[in-house]
Amino acid sequence: MELDLIGQDIANLRQVDWNQATRYNSINLHFNRLTNLRGLPPLTNIVELNLSSNHFKSCGLPELSSLPNLMTLDLSGNKIASLRHLPYLPTLRNLSVAFNFITSLEHAHESVPNLEQLDVRGNQIARSVDLDALAELGQLRVLFIGGPQQNPVCSRIPNMTRLFQICESLQLVDEKTASEWRTIQLLDAPTPKFDELMKQRQTKDAAATSASKRQAQLMAQHAPSSSHVLFPRGEAPGGRSPRFFEFDDDAIAHSPSSDAGHYHRSPQHGGRGRGRGPPAQHGHRRRLLSHQSHQSQSEYYDSPQQPAHAPPYHSYSYDEEYDGDYGTDMADARQVPLRRPSNASST
């Protein structure tokens, strides 16, 4: 059974009623204001004592010797800087001094020679030589020294594997065996050639990404507000492919023959295009902005699945719509082909 005295703002153990203490085998004084153990009576039945999160600045607590059967002692979360003055506790098996200000484990073996588990996480042990005292703890099996708030000495993996050499009885360090720590050390070994290759690859990838972003920005800036339509050979409006397409305003594009033309506003009607063909007899409001010829549909769609014998394809860009006899919906020119007015004459 546990005597629960957690968080009762106890600063002096003399204010505690110990008359019923013999009924318990554990005392929990976590989170109080204790700086010493004056007033703690001899209790032969106590095997576990929790003094965590108090105000102890030293392990000089002689009253602990009055607990002859004490096996577990928790002094974590205090302000202890050394284990030097810890009283002799031959029965102690489990000691926690985590989250204090300890810089060395010297003299630990003098006080707790039969210790089996030690927790020193969250302290200030910075040098591997400060762990040499572990060699004197011949019964130590489990050590906690790393974790989220690890000691500075844990920053180098070789120091962790060395612990098993210092203390031959150790079986686990931070819940890992010696074999597991050796594997971690191998994985953590420096690989300068690989690191250099990875750095070059990252630089190259970053440059490619930057170039792609710049290209996308330029395309977005210069992209015309028009629609593209793809025509295979013979399906272009008028039946044939135009010779040239270089228009910035009202212009004209035409096929090799006058009777199979693809006409826009002609020079006679204010256009600046070149070529021959009849003047436009009906109003229209669509301009041909650009043209591209592709040997295969894969060039247009960027698809490698098209056969090598696919006919040439042409892409046209328009920005306005036709009306009159030329059709009212040119979203798909193959469905609504352009037709010359019947009364148009060749030039």
Side-chain angles (χ1 to χ4, degrees), residues 34-74:
L34 295 172
T35 58
N36 58 72
L37 294 180
R38 297 187 187 99
L40 180 68
L43 298 170
T44 58
N45 53 304
I46 298 300
V47 297
E48 182 175 350
L49 178 62
N50 189 340
L51 299 174
S52 62
S53 299
N54 278 275
H55 297 167
F56 296 108
K57 295 183 179 180
S58 169
C59 287
L61 304 171
E63 293 80 6
L64 291 175
S65 299
S66 64
L67 307 175
N69 295 312
L70 186 64
M71 299 183 65
T72 300
L73 175 62
D74 190 347

mmCIF file of all heavy atoms in Angstrom, residues 34-74:
data_model
loop_
_atom_site.group_PDB
_atom_site.id
_atom_site.type_symbol
_atom_site.label_atom_id
_atom_site.label_comp_id
_atom_site.label_asym_id
_atom_site.label_seq_id
_atom_site.Cartn_x
_atom_site.Cartn_y
_atom_site.Cartn_z
ATOM 1 N N LEU A 34 9.870 20.149 0.100
ATOM 2 C CA LEU A 34 10.875 19.601 1.013
ATOM 3 C C LEU A 34 12.290 19.964 0.590
ATOM 4 O O LEU A 34 12.632 19.908 -0.589
ATOM 5 C CB LEU A 34 10.746 18.080 1.076
ATOM 6 C CG LEU A 34 9.442 17.530 1.679
ATOM 7 C CD1 LEU A 34 9.374 16.020 1.496
ATOM 8 C CD2 LEU A 34 9.341 17.901 3.159
ATOM 9 N N THR A 35 13.115 20.327 1.556
ATOM 10 C CA THR A 35 14.544 20.554 1.331
ATOM 11 C C THR A 35 15.393 19.584 2.145
ATOM 12 O O THR A 35 16.600 19.480 1.913
ATOM 13 C CB THR A 35 14.933 21.993 1.713
ATOM 14 O OG1 THR A 35 14.603 22.229 3.092
ATOM 15 C CG2 THR A 35 14.184 22.998 0.833
ATOM 16 N N ASN A 36 14.773 18.877 3.082
ATOM 17 C CA ASN A 36 15.459 17.870 3.888
ATOM 18 C C ASN A 36 14.435 16.857 4.375
ATOM 19 O O ASN A 36 13.227 17.013 4.116
ATOM 20 C CB ASN A 36 16.199 18.509 5.077
ATOM 21 C CG ASN A 36 15.256 19.293 5.966
ATOM 22 O OD1 ASN A 36 14.429 18.725 6.692
ATOM 23 N ND2 ASN A 36 15.342 20.635 5.899
ATOM 24 N N LEU A 37 14.902 15.824 5.074
ATOM 25 C CA LEU A 37 14.010 14.756 5.544
ATOM 26 C C LEU A 37 13.922 14.720 7.066
ATOM 27 O O LEU A 37 13.588 13.670 7.662
ATOM 28 C CB LEU A 37 14.497 13.402 5.024
ATOM 29 C CG LEU A 37 14.422 13.209 3.511
ATOM 30 C CD1 LEU A 37 14.931 11.829 3.130
ATOM 31 C CD2 LEU A 37 13.017 13.417 2.972
ATOM 32 N N ARG A 38 14.188 15.824 7.705
ATOM 33 C CA ARG A 38 14.065 15.871 9.166
ATOM 34 C C ARG A 38 12.619 15.597 9.566
ATOM 35 O O ARG A 38 11.685 16.187 9.005
ATOM 36 C CB ARG A 38 14.506 17.231 9.698
ATOM 37 C CG ARG A 38 15.965 17.556 9.433
ATOM 38 C CD ARG A 38 16.373 18.842 10.127
ATOM 39 N NE ARG A 38 17.726 19.228 9.729
ATOM 40 C CZ ARG A 38 17.998 20.135 8.810
ATOM 41 N NH1 ARG A 38 17.011 20.741 8.185
ATOM 42 N NH2 ARG A 38 19.251 20.425 8.513
ATOM 43 N N GLY A 39 12.457 14.712 10.506
ATOM 44 C CA GLY A 39 11.123 14.324 10.953
ATOM 45 C C GLY A 39 10.669 12.991 10.380
ATOM 46 O O GLY A 39 9.601 12.494 10.747
ATOM 47 N N LEU A 40 11.490 12.400 9.503
ATOM 48 C CA LEU A 40 11.126 11.091 8.951
ATOM 49 C C LEU A 40 11.509 10.009 9.955
ATOM 50 O O LEU A 40 12.689 9.831 10.286
ATOM 51 C CB LEU A 40 11.857 10.837 7.627
ATOM 52 C CG LEU A 40 11.554 9.503 6.949
ATOM 53 C CD1 LEU A 40 10.113 9.457 6.453
ATOM 54 C CD2 LEU A 40 12.516 9.272 5.797
ATOM 55 N N PRO A 41 10.541 9.253 10.458
ATOM 56 C CA PRO A 41 10.852 8.226 11.469
ATOM 57 C C PRO A 41 11.453 6.978 10.828
ATOM 58 O O PRO A 41 11.319 6.766 9.614
ATOM 59 C CB PRO A 41 9.477 7.927 12.077
ATOM 60 C CG PRO A 41 8.529 8.191 10.965
ATOM 61 C CD PRO A 41 9.101 9.329 10.176
ATOM 62 N N PRO A 42 12.101 6.145 11.614
ATOM 63 C CA PRO A 42 12.592 4.867 11.073
ATOM 64 C C PRO A 42 11.401 3.987 10.667
ATOM 65 O O PRO A 42 10.507 3.743 11.474
ATOM 66 C CB PRO A 42 13.355 4.254 12.246
ATOM 67 C CG PRO A 42 13.658 5.396 13.150
ATOM 68 C CD PRO A 42 12.524 6.348 13.001
ATOM 69 N N LEU A 43 11.422 3.539 9.435
ATOM 70 C CA LEU A 43 10.314 2.737 8.918
ATOM 71 C C LEU A 43 10.900 1.519 8.203
ATOM 72 O O LEU A 43 11.337 1.601 7.063
ATOM 73 C CB LEU A 43 9.444 3.565 7.957
ATOM 74 C CG LEU A 43 8.742 4.792 8.563
ATOM 75 C CD1 LEU A 43 8.111 5.652 7.474
ATOM 76 C CD2 LEU A 43 7.682 4.348 9.578
ATOM 77 N N THR A 44 10.885 0.410 8.874
ATOM 78 C CA THR A 44 11.487 -0.802 8.313
ATOM 79 C C THR A 44 10.636 -1.417 7.211
ATOM 80 O O THR A 44 11.132 -2.249 6.433
ATOM 81 C CB THR A 44 11.690 -1.837 9.422
ATOM 82 O OG1 THR A 44 10.425 -2.117 10.034
ATOM 83 C CG2 THR A 44 12.655 -1.315 10.477
ATOM 84 N N ASN A 45 9.383 -1.032 7.129
ATOM 85 C CA ASN A 45 8.479 -1.621 6.139
ATOM 86 C C ASN A 45 8.516 -0.903 4.784
ATOM 87 O O ASN A 45 7.994 -1.419 3.792
ATOM 88 C CB ASN A 45 7.042 -1.602 6.665
ATOM 89 C CG ASN A 45 6.616 -0.211 7.118
ATOM 90 O OD1 ASN A 45 7.282 0.385 7.977
ATOM 91 N ND2 ASN A 45 5.529 0.289 6.556
ATOM 92 N N ILE A 46 9.127 0.250 4.704
ATOM 93 C CA ILE A 46 9.116 1.038 3.471
ATOM 94 C C ILE A 46 10.165 0.489 2.496
ATOM 95 O O ILE A 46 11.353 0.403 2.820
ATOM 96 C CB ILE A 46 9.387 2.526 3.758
ATOM 97 C CG1 ILE A 46 8.294 3.100 4.657
ATOM 98 C CG2 ILE A 46 9.476 3.312 2.455
ATOM 99 C CD1 ILE A 46 6.905 3.022 4.067
ATOM 100 N N VAL A 47 9.702 0.163 1.276
ATOM 101 C CA VAL A 47 10.600 -0.318 0.221
ATOM 102 C C VAL A 47 10.675 0.672 -0.954
ATOM 103 O O VAL A 47 11.565 0.543 -1.814
ATOM 104 C CB VAL A 47 10.149 -1.698 -0.304
ATOM 105 C CG1 VAL A 47 10.220 -2.750 0.813
ATOM 106 C CG2 VAL A 47 8.743 -1.619 -0.899
ATOM 107 N N GLU A 48 9.774 1.652 -0.987
ATOM 108 C CA GLU A 48 9.777 2.622 -2.086
ATOM 109 C C GLU A 48 9.481 4.016 -1.539
ATOM 110 O O GLU A 48 8.520 4.206 -0.781
ATOM 111 C CB GLU A 48 8.729 2.245 -3.138
ATOM 112 C CG GLU A 48 8.704 3.188 -4.333
ATOM 113 C CD GLU A 48 7.737 2.724 -5.409
ATOM 114 O OE1 GLU A 48 7.230 1.584 -5.306
ATOM 115 O OE2 GLU A 48 7.482 3.505 -6.361
ATOM 116 N N LEU A 49 10.296 4.995 -1.965
ATOM 117 C CA LEU A 49 10.129 6.370 -1.514
ATOM 118 C C LEU A 49 10.254 7.311 -2.704
ATOM 119 O O LEU A 49 11.262 7.301 -3.419
ATOM 120 C CB LEU A 49 11.196 6.721 -0.459
ATOM 121 C CG LEU A 49 11.176 8.156 0.075
ATOM 122 C CD1 LEU A 49 9.851 8.456 0.789
ATOM 123 C CD2 LEU A 49 12.358 8.379 1.036
ATOM 124 N N ASN A 50 9.232 8.125 -2.904
ATOM 125 C CA ASN A 50 9.202 9.077 -4.018
ATOM 126 C C ASN A 50 9.351 10.494 -3.457
ATOM 127 O O ASN A 50 8.449 11.004 -2.795
ATOM 128 C CB ASN A 50 7.891 8.943 -4.794
ATOM 129 C CG ASN A 50 7.895 9.761 -6.085
ATOM 130 O OD1 ASN A 50 8.674 10.696 -6.236
ATOM 131 N ND2 ASN A 50 7.023 9.401 -7.004
ATOM 132 N N LEU A 51 10.498 11.108 -3.763
ATOM 133 C CA LEU A 51 10.785 12.477 -3.328
ATOM 134 C C LEU A 51 10.936 13.413 -4.537
ATOM 135 O O LEU A 51 11.602 14.451 -4.445
ATOM 136 C CB LEU A 51 12.066 12.501 -2.487
ATOM 137 C CG LEU A 51 12.049 11.665 -1.200
ATOM 138 C CD1 LEU A 51 13.428 11.649 -0.547
ATOM 139 C CD2 LEU A 51 11.001 12.199 -0.223
ATOM 140 N N SER A 52 10.345 13.066 -5.646
ATOM 141 C CA SER A 52 10.504 13.851 -6.871
ATOM 142 C C SER A 52 9.785 15.194 -6.779
ATOM 143 O O SER A 52 8.813 15.352 -6.047
ATOM 144 C CB SER A 52 9.984 13.061 -8.074
ATOM 145 O OG SER A 52 8.598 12.791 -7.928
ATOM 146 N N SER A 53 10.316 16.148 -7.565
ATOM 147 C CA SER A 53 9.717 17.488 -7.684
ATOM 148 C C SER A 53 9.577 18.174 -6.333
ATOM 149 O O SER A 53 8.520 18.712 -5.981
ATOM 150 C CB SER A 53 8.353 17.421 -8.392
ATOM 151 O OG SER A 53 8.497 16.900 -9.690
ATOM 152 N N ASN A 54 10.663 18.179 -5.587
ATOM 153 C CA ASN A 54 10.753 18.946 -4.353
ATOM 154 C C ASN A 54 11.878 19.979 -4.516
ATOM 155 O O ASN A 54 12.203 20.355 -5.648
ATOM 156 C CB ASN A 54 10.980 18.022 -3.163
ATOM 157 C CG ASN A 54 9.671 17.394 -2.662
ATOM 158 O OD1 ASN A 54 8.945 17.979 -1.880
ATOM 159 N ND2 ASN A 54 9.376 16.195 -3.154
ATOM 160 N N HIS A 55 12.471 20.412 -3.411
ATOM 161 C CA HIS A 55 13.492 21.464 -3.463
ATOM 162 C C HIS A 55 14.836 20.991 -2.913
ATOM 163 O O HIS A 55 15.613 21.804 -2.394
ATOM 164 C CB HIS A 55 13.018 22.697 -2.684
ATOM 165 C CG HIS A 55 11.781 23.327 -3.251
ATOM 166 N ND1 HIS A 55 11.042 24.283 -2.568
ATOM 167 C CD2 HIS A 55 11.129 23.139 -4.428
ATOM 168 C CE1 HIS A 55 10.010 24.654 -3.306
ATOM 169 N NE2 HIS A 55 10.041 23.958 -4.433
ATOM 170 N N PHE A 56 15.145 19.711 -3.071
ATOM 171 C CA PHE A 56 16.423 19.186 -2.578
ATOM 172 C C PHE A 56 17.577 19.704 -3.441
ATOM 173 O O PHE A 56 17.501 19.675 -4.681
ATOM 174 C CB PHE A 56 16.417 17.653 -2.597
ATOM 175 C CG PHE A 56 15.401 17.043 -1.673
ATOM 176 C CD1 PHE A 56 14.255 16.430 -2.175
ATOM 177 C CD2 PHE A 56 15.585 17.076 -0.303
ATOM 178 C CE1 PHE A 56 13.324 15.868 -1.326
ATOM 179 C CE2 PHE A 56 14.661 16.509 0.555
ATOM 180 C CZ PHE A 56 13.516 15.908 0.044
ATOM 181 N N LYS A 57 18.640 20.160 -2.786
ATOM 182 C CA LYS A 57 19.824 20.637 -3.498
ATOM 183 C C LYS A 57 21.016 19.706 -3.309
ATOM 184 O O LYS A 57 22.069 19.909 -3.903
ATOM 185 C CB LYS A 57 20.204 22.034 -3.009
ATOM 186 C CG LYS A 57 19.151 23.081 -3.328
ATOM 187 C CD LYS A 57 19.604 24.461 -2.877
ATOM 188 C CE LYS A 57 18.554 25.507 -3.221
ATOM 189 N NZ LYS A 57 18.978 26.878 -2.791
ATOM 190 N N SER A 58 20.831 18.678 -2.480
ATOM 191 C CA SER A 58 21.922 17.743 -2.203
ATOM 192 C C SER A 58 21.343 16.373 -1.894
ATOM 193 O O SER A 58 20.177 16.240 -1.500
ATOM 194 C CB SER A 58 22.745 18.258 -1.011
ATOM 195 O OG SER A 58 23.650 17.267 -0.564
ATOM 196 N N CYS A 59 22.200 15.375 -2.093
ATOM 197 C CA CYS A 59 21.807 14.006 -1.727
ATOM 198 C C CYS A 59 22.155 13.702 -0.274
ATOM 199 O O CYS A 59 22.008 12.552 0.169
ATOM 200 C CB CYS A 59 22.526 13.008 -2.627
ATOM 201 S SG CYS A 59 21.879 12.968 -4.303
ATOM 202 N N GLY A 60 22.646 14.716 0.409
ATOM 203 C CA GLY A 60 22.973 14.516 1.821
ATOM 204 C C GLY A 60 21.721 14.379 2.659
ATOM 205 O O GLY A 60 21.314 15.332 3.348
ATOM 206 N N LEU A 61 21.102 13.217 2.623
ATOM 207 C CA LEU A 61 19.852 12.954 3.333
ATOM 208 C C LEU A 61 20.068 11.752 4.246
ATOM 209 O O LEU A 61 19.690 10.614 3.939
ATOM 210 C CB LEU A 61 18.730 12.673 2.326
ATOM 211 C CG LEU A 61 18.479 13.769 1.271
ATOM 212 C CD1 LEU A 61 17.506 13.284 0.201
ATOM 213 C CD2 LEU A 61 17.965 15.039 1.923
ATOM 214 N N PRO A 62 20.690 11.971 5.419
ATOM 215 C CA PRO A 62 21.057 10.847 6.307
ATOM 216 C C PRO A 62 19.846 10.056 6.793
ATOM 217 O O PRO A 62 19.990 8.873 7.164
ATOM 218 C CB PRO A 62 21.776 11.536 7.468
ATOM 219 C CG PRO A 62 21.313 12.960 7.427
ATOM 220 C CD PRO A 62 21.072 13.266 5.984
ATOM 221 N N GLU A 63 18.656 10.674 6.821
ATOM 222 C CA GLU A 63 17.452 9.976 7.281
ATOM 223 C C GLU A 63 17.117 8.770 6.413
ATOM 224 O O GLU A 63 16.379 7.869 6.845
ATOM 225 C CB GLU A 63 16.258 10.935 7.317
ATOM 226 C CG GLU A 63 16.351 12.025 8.355
ATOM 227 C CD GLU A 63 17.228 13.180 7.905
ATOM 228 O OE1 GLU A 63 17.658 13.166 6.736
ATOM 229 O OE2 GLU A 63 17.465 14.102 8.711
ATOM 230 N N LEU A 64 17.667 8.730 5.194
ATOM 231 C CA LEU A 64 17.408 7.580 4.320
ATOM 232 C C LEU A 64 17.973 6.293 4.909
ATOM 233 O O LEU A 64 17.484 5.195 4.608
ATOM 234 C CB LEU A 64 18.001 7.829 2.937
ATOM 235 C CG LEU A 64 17.325 8.926 2.100
ATOM 236 C CD1 LEU A 64 18.093 9.147 0.810
ATOM 237 C CD2 LEU A 64 15.867 8.565 1.802
ATOM 238 N N SER A 65 18.965 6.418 5.728
ATOM 239 C CA SER A 65 19.580 5.232 6.343
ATOM 240 C C SER A 65 18.639 4.566 7.336
ATOM 241 O O SER A 65 18.866 3.405 7.734
ATOM 242 C CB SER A 65 20.885 5.618 7.049
ATOM 243 O OG SER A 65 21.800 6.140 6.113
ATOM 244 N N SER A 66 17.586 5.298 7.744
ATOM 245 C CA SER A 66 16.623 4.722 8.684
ATOM 246 C C SER A 66 15.564 3.887 7.970
ATOM 247 O O SER A 66 14.609 3.427 8.608
ATOM 248 C CB SER A 66 15.947 5.840 9.494
ATOM 249 O OG SER A 66 15.182 6.689 8.643
ATOM 250 N N LEU A 67 15.779 3.709 6.667
ATOM 251 C CA LEU A 67 14.882 2.859 5.871
ATOM 252 C C LEU A 67 15.693 1.665 5.391
ATOM 253 O O LEU A 67 16.141 1.606 4.252
ATOM 254 C CB LEU A 67 14.307 3.640 4.688
ATOM 255 C CG LEU A 67 13.609 4.983 5.012
ATOM 256 C CD1 LEU A 67 13.198 5.701 3.739
ATOM 257 C CD2 LEU A 67 12.418 4.757 5.929
ATOM 258 N N PRO A 68 15.886 0.685 6.221
ATOM 259 C CA PRO A 68 16.823 -0.403 5.929
ATOM 260 C C PRO A 68 16.417 -1.305 4.775
ATOM 261 O O PRO A 68 17.259 -2.027 4.224
ATOM 262 C CB PRO A 68 16.872 -1.185 7.244
ATOM 263 C CG PRO A 68 15.564 -0.887 7.907
ATOM 264 C CD PRO A 68 15.237 0.512 7.529
ATOM 265 N N ASN A 69 15.146 -1.277 4.393
ATOM 266 C CA ASN A 69 14.689 -2.146 3.314
ATOM 267 C C ASN A 69 14.345 -1.369 2.032
ATOM 268 O O ASN A 69 13.689 -1.918 1.134
ATOM 269 C CB ASN A 69 13.463 -2.940 3.774
ATOM 270 C CG ASN A 69 13.807 -3.911 4.900
ATOM 271 O OD1 ASN A 69 14.789 -4.657 4.809
ATOM 272 N ND2 ASN A 69 13.019 -3.898 5.970
ATOM 273 N N LEU A 70 14.794 -0.142 1.967
ATOM 274 C CA LEU A 70 14.475 0.700 0.816
ATOM 275 C C LEU A 70 15.105 0.119 -0.459
ATOM 276 O O LEU A 70 16.315 -0.094 -0.535
ATOM 277 C CB LEU A 70 14.987 2.126 1.049
ATOM 278 C CG LEU A 70 14.594 3.159 -0.012
ATOM 279 C CD1 LEU A 70 13.079 3.363 -0.044
ATOM 280 C CD2 LEU A 70 15.307 4.492 0.247
ATOM 281 N N MET A 71 14.286 -0.078 -1.489
ATOM 282 C CA MET A 71 14.762 -0.645 -2.753
ATOM 283 C C MET A 71 14.628 0.331 -3.932
ATOM 284 O O MET A 71 15.376 0.233 -4.907
ATOM 285 C CB MET A 71 13.988 -1.932 -3.076
ATOM 286 C CG MET A 71 14.157 -3.028 -2.027
ATOM 287 S SD MET A 71 13.304 -4.555 -2.469
ATOM 288 C CE MET A 71 14.203 -5.038 -3.925
ATOM 289 N N THR A 72 13.683 1.272 -3.847
ATOM 290 C CA THR A 72 13.456 2.227 -4.932
ATOM 291 C C THR A 72 13.403 3.643 -4.368
ATOM 292 O O THR A 72 12.615 3.926 -3.453
ATOM 293 C CB THR A 72 12.132 1.923 -5.660
ATOM 294 O OG1 THR A 72 12.182 0.611 -6.211
ATOM 295 C CG2 THR A 72 11.893 2.926 -6.784
ATOM 296 N N LEU A 73 14.243 4.512 -4.917
ATOM 297 C CA LEU A 73 14.315 5.903 -4.472
ATOM 298 C C LEU A 73 14.234 6.814 -5.697
ATOM 299 O O LEU A 73 15.018 6.679 -6.641
ATOM 300 C CB LEU A 73 15.619 6.160 -3.717
ATOM 301 C CG LEU A 73 15.873 7.609 -3.290
ATOM 302 C CD1 LEU A 73 14.787 8.095 -2.325
ATOM 303 C CD2 LEU A 73 17.258 7.731 -2.629
ATOM 304 N N ASP A 74 13.296 7.760 -5.663
ATOM 305 C CA ASP A 74 13.101 8.705 -6.764
ATOM 306 C C ASP A 74 13.397 10.116 -6.276
ATOM 307 O O ASP A 74 12.648 10.683 -5.475
ATOM 308 C CB ASP A 74 11.662 8.614 -7.288
ATOM 309 C CG ASP A 74 11.472 9.397 -8.585
ATOM 310 O OD1 ASP A 74 12.361 10.195 -8.936
ATOM 311 O OD2 ASP A 74 10.428 9.203 -9.242
#
